Amino acid sequence: DCLPLAAVVDNMYFCIHGGISPQISTLDDIHRLNRFQEPPSEGPICDLLWADPVKDFGVTLTSKTSEAEGDFIDNAARGCSYYFTYHASSSRREVVLHKIKAVGKMALVFRVLREEREHVMRLKGLSPNGQLPPGALERGRIGLLHAITTFDEAK
């Protein structure tokens, strides 16, 4: 009965209906939201749905006392949420980007474990301590085969 508030597409693109919120800094902040409700007229859910970039998106607002306060101003046109500046979106970009990359790396590792289990078991058997070499899963099938070849040659 409820649509998603946000999505990460191809482990690269952070997609939202509206904009960003001063109350959201990470993807975990979004995961903790209770989306199974009517959209409130304020707060992070409202911002994800209705926040808008300022008209002059690349221009810093100087009407507020601090840069952080100037990143979000009341959105009088909608009667809810905020206008956000380029600085507000770019300062959160790095945090979100790192989280997206981490989730992508975990998905790759789990996919390699699932699809290459025979090679994983063989490599664990060749390793003196029964563990995979660091980073072997991150390089996928090619990394596993290279590590197996390296152990075989070392024998």
Side-chain angles (χ1 to χ4, degrees):
D1 289 345
C2 295
L3 295 172
L5 293 173
V8 176
V9 177
D10 289 339
N11 292 317
M12 293 175 52
Y13 304 103
F14 177 61
C15 305
I16 47 180
H17 178 271
I20 59 175
S21 172
Q23 298 174 16
I24 295 176
S25 298
T26 68
L27 291 175
D28 288 334
D29 293 338
I30 296 172
H31 287 287
R32 286 189 287 270
L33 295 174
N34 176 14
R35 66 182 183 91
F36 300 100
Q37 61 177 311
E38 286 294 317
S41 60
E42 61 184 28
I45 292 176
C46 176
D47 299 336
L48 289 172
L49 295 173
W50 301 115
D52 293 311
V54 293
K55 184 176 180 179
D56 299 319
F57 190 64
V59 178
T60 304
L61 299 176
T62 57
S63 61
K64 300 284 184 175
T65 56
S66 75
E67 193 172 70
E69 290 175 344
D71 289 342
F72 295 93
I73 58 171
D74 288 333
N75 189 336
R78 289 198 186 273
C80 65
S81 194
Y82 297 96
Y83 287 108
F84 58 92
T85 64
Y86 175 80
H87 180 265
S89 62
S90 64
S91 65
R92 286 163 170 73
R93 179 180 183 273
E94 287 302 313
V95 172
V96 172
L97 184 60
H98 289 299
K99 185 74 169 191
I100 291 169
K101 285 181 178 180
V103 169
K105 189 179 278 190
M106 285 176 28
L108 170 68
V109 166
F110 285 122
R111 182 181 56 78
V112 170
L113 278 171
R114 186 180 61 248
E115 294 176 1
E116 303 294 335
R117 67 179 149 268
E118 294 85 16
H119 290 111
V120 170
M121 296 308 292
R122 182 168 177 216
L123 182 56
K124 286 177 85 173
L126 292 170
S127 173
N129 60 6
Q131 296 179 348
L132 296 174
L137 294 174
E138 293 174 17
R139 292 185 286 268
R141 179 184 177 96
I142 294 170
L144 289 171
L145 294 175
H146 175 71
I148 289 170
T149 304
T150 303
F151 275 112
D152 281 340
E153 290 173 356
K155 281 184 175 181

